[in-house]
Amino acid sequence: VSFPRHVTSRRPLGSGTATPSPPRTANMNALRLTVLAATIAYASAQQGTCEVCHLHYYHKDVSHAETWGSDVSICKEYEHEACCTKETVKSIDDNSKLYGDYDLEACGLSSNCKKFFIEESCFYECDRNLGKWRKHVDCDDAGEDNGWEIKGVPIKASYWDAWYEACKDEYFAWGTGGTYWDIPKFTAESYKGTGAAKTKTAYTSCTKFGDTYKNGTMVAEVMWGGSFTYEKDESKAYVMTFADGTANPNNALFTDKEYPRECAGHEVNLTHPGVDNNGVRVSYSEVACPIDWHQQPNAGVSERSSRGTLTCDSGLNSAKQELVSGTKCKASGTTCPATCKTLLDDVEVECFGMEFTYTPVGGTETYGKWNTDKLAWYDAADAERVKAKKEDACDAIIDQYILAATPSPAGIIRAPLMAIMGFVVAALLVIA
């Protein structure tokens, strides 16, 4: 937005042996598998769309589902995919104190008028689509860290007209600039008037809204300093609010308009895109994002995240060190501990769908994708074990992962056939 929102430091800168089932329990096990598959499918369908939040004020790095609870009454429509946190929303509800000490209600304000200011704040802080309209290509191309400013966002003309009608007879303590951010602060004694607090004489500058802005067009394009436009073709315009529990209609607009790339210093963590209340990064699964969220065409991920924040690298480096010199893959005689398989299973889960850098044997550092290039990492790790003279019974476990990562026509055919056979067997057990 083209006004200087008051920035604070709020944003965190984040083997056993299976026992065969008795015949009488086989049907129940098959049924459990069927229910589990249905549950997983249902959970996958409920995962929200996760996209990069390209504005940097109080915004999160990535838009994802939130759980705000019953004590939050505003911005609820954005809860299923939000660039805002509960903390931000509660600050919006507190007389617009989110942006410092601006006194929105200095001269008194009806709830019918105030709701439009609240809806604008929810829209700006929570709707990921605003990132497409960031004014500056790079956050610092204006000579300062300015990743919060937007320009020319089209909003339905009817909304601006309704805003004008709701507020035209209200009083605001405007300053000399006549924009929203010229209203006085709670501590601005020079604006004090003679009347009681929250009345039209509380400040000397209390002026009727309708005298400052003559119509909806001025509310859109003057009060917000060019951040928004008064769009008469409402099929090509955003809304600032919509019914709670429904899909955000703004997601269906301007789908061909690309997000800008992430600003330097705001690169997104691909495997841990969320941040908890303590400022600790959490994984994609903990914020209900699909494992491949960043590979979706609308995710808004640019080369700065996909190549600059290769978050699988850290886990792979730790795993390689453990393979070569740790105890998790150190055999005792002819027995390899179960921790070796667990270590490699964890690597497969952490890096699935992710990107990483690796150095092939005898080669130079290379960028690749785990699902297609992991064989090179396994080969390199195995070669380092050989070089360090750490070969033992655990090599057989590592060889299993190398074999599984090796493409082969037989493997390509076998995988779907095994999946089909699994479903057939489960179905037959249920029928039986």
Side-chain angles (χ1 to χ4, degrees):
V1 186
S2 64
F3 41 75
R5 292 184 184 259
H6 181 66
V7 180
T8 70
S9 59
R10 183 201 144 279
R11 183 175 177 274
L13 270 208
S15 127
T17 303
T19 303
S21 299
R24 63 174 274 163
T25 65
N27 288 352
M28 286 301 298
N29 287 342
L31 182 59
R32 290 190 189 103
L33 288 173
T34 303
V35 171
L36 177 61
T39 302
I40 292 172
Y42 175 79
S44 297
Q46 297 306 304
Q47 288 182 329
T49 300
C50 298
E51 299 187 17
V52 175
C53 300
H54 285 276
L55 297 182
H56 306 297
Y57 202 73
Y58 294 108
H59 301 77
K60 300 183 304 188
D61 290 343
V62 173
S63 170
H64 58 74
E66 290 273 338
T67 303
W68 292 336
S70 59
D71 58 329
V72 172
S73 60
I74 64 170
C75 308
K76 294 286 286 184
E77 63 267 38
Y78 294 102
E79 191 172 10
H80 67 288
E81 50 175 28
C83 281
C84 55
T85 64
K86 179 177 180 177
E87 180 184 3
T88 297
V89 171
K90 293 186 75 172
S91 295
I92 292 173
D93 202 21
D94 187 13
N95 193 18
S96 293
K97 290 181 182 177
L98 181 65
Y99 307 119
D101 294 326
Y102 293 99
D103 191 355
L104 184 62
E105 302 182 57
C107 304
L109 189 65
S110 69
S111 59
N112 190 39
C113 174
K114 182 180 178 180
K115 85 179 189 70
F116 286 91
F117 290 94
I118 290 176
E119 288 169 359
E120 187 280 335
S121 292
C122 292
F123 177 56
Y124 174 77
E125 296 291 345
C126 303
D127 196 319
R128 56 181 169 77
N129 292 287
L130 269 292
K132 294 182 177 181
W133 306 85
R134 195 177 72 209
K135 182 176 180 179
H136 301 288
V137 175
D138 256 327
C139 293
D140 60 355
D141 61 3
E144 58 183 0
D145 187 7
N146 182 355
W148 47 262
E149 195 169 355
I150 57 176
K151 181 180 180 181
V153 182
I155 305 296
K156 289 185 176 183
S158 59
Y159 185 82
W160 296 115
D161 292 339
W163 191 332
Y164 173 76
E165 289 298 324
C167 297
K168 65 182 181 181
D169 294 323
E170 304 280 343
Y171 283 81
F172 289 82
W174 303 118
T176 57
T179 70
Y180 175 74
W181 298 100
D182 289 312
I183 60 180
K185 298 184 178 182
F186 293 100
T187 56
E189 295 297 329
S190 61
Y191 284 94
K192 290 294 184 182
T194 59
K198 300 186 184 301
T199 66
K200 64 182 180 180
T201 56
Y203 288 83
T204 58
S205 57
C206 286
T207 305
K208 187 181 288 189
F209 189 90
D211 291 340
T212 303
Y213 307 111
K214 305 300 182 182
N215 50 47
T217 303
M218 290 188 70
V219 176
E221 300 179 359
V222 177
M223 184 168 75
W224 296 104
S227 298
F228 304 113
T229 63
Y230 180 92
E231 181 54 61
K232 294 180 180 179
D233 184 352
E234 299 201 344
S235 66
K236 299 178 180 178
Y238 288 142
V239 295
M240 287 193 179
T241 187
F242 50 95
D244 182 19
T246 64
N248 185 347
N250 297 333
N251 294 347
L253 299 175
F254 305 103
T255 55
D256 58 343
K257 183 178 177 63
E258 295 184 358
Y259 284 107
R261 67 179 182 175
E262 298 95 317
C263 293
H266 295 284
E267 295 85 357
V268 174
N269 189 307
L270 300 179
T271 57
H272 292 72
V275 178
D276 67 13
N277 293 333
N278 297 315
V280 178
R281 287 210 164 273
V282 295
S283 71
Y284 59 87
S285 59
E286 293 176 89
V287 291
C289 291
I291 191 170
D292 61 344
W293 73 269
H294 64 292
Q295 295 178 333
Q296 302 306 309
N298 60 346
V301 173
S302 74
E303 77 282 356
R304 280 190 168 161
S305 282
S306 61
R307 300 187 70 94
T309 312
L310 306 173
T311 53
C312 196
D313 284 354
S314 177
L316 288 177
N317 291 337
S318 297
K320 184 183 289 186
Q321 184 176 0
E322 186 64 44
L323 278 172
V324 175
S325 56
T327 59
K328 292 183 179 179
C329 285
K330 183 178 181 179
S332 176
T334 59
T335 303
C336 180
T339 52
C340 189
K341 186 177 185 302
T342 299
L343 172 69
L344 296 177
D345 283 344
D346 287 345
V347 166
E348 290 285 347
V349 171
E350 178 180 355
C351 295
F352 182 86
M354 299 294 113
E355 298 150 334
F356 71 108
T357 51
Y358 63 94
T359 303
V361 178
T364 56
E365 186 175 84
T366 303
Y367 163 80
K369 295 184 177 180
W370 179 254
N371 289 19
T372 56
D373 301 315
K374 60 183 176 181
L375 175 61
W377 182 84
Y378 281 119
D379 282 341
D382 188 52
E384 288 194 24
R385 278 175 60 90
V386 173
K387 184 178 179 180
K389 298 181 179 179
K390 299 292 184 177
E391 302 110 308
D392 57 25
C394 287
D395 290 346
I397 300 297
I398 299 171
D399 287 346
Q400 292 177 15
Y401 288 83
I402 292 176
L403 182 62
T406 303
S408 68
I412 294 171
I413 296 173
R414 182 172 62 251
L417 284 177
M418 290 301 292
I420 294 171
M421 286 301 296
F423 282 110
V424 170
V425 170
L428 289 174
L429 287 171
V430 171
I431 293 171

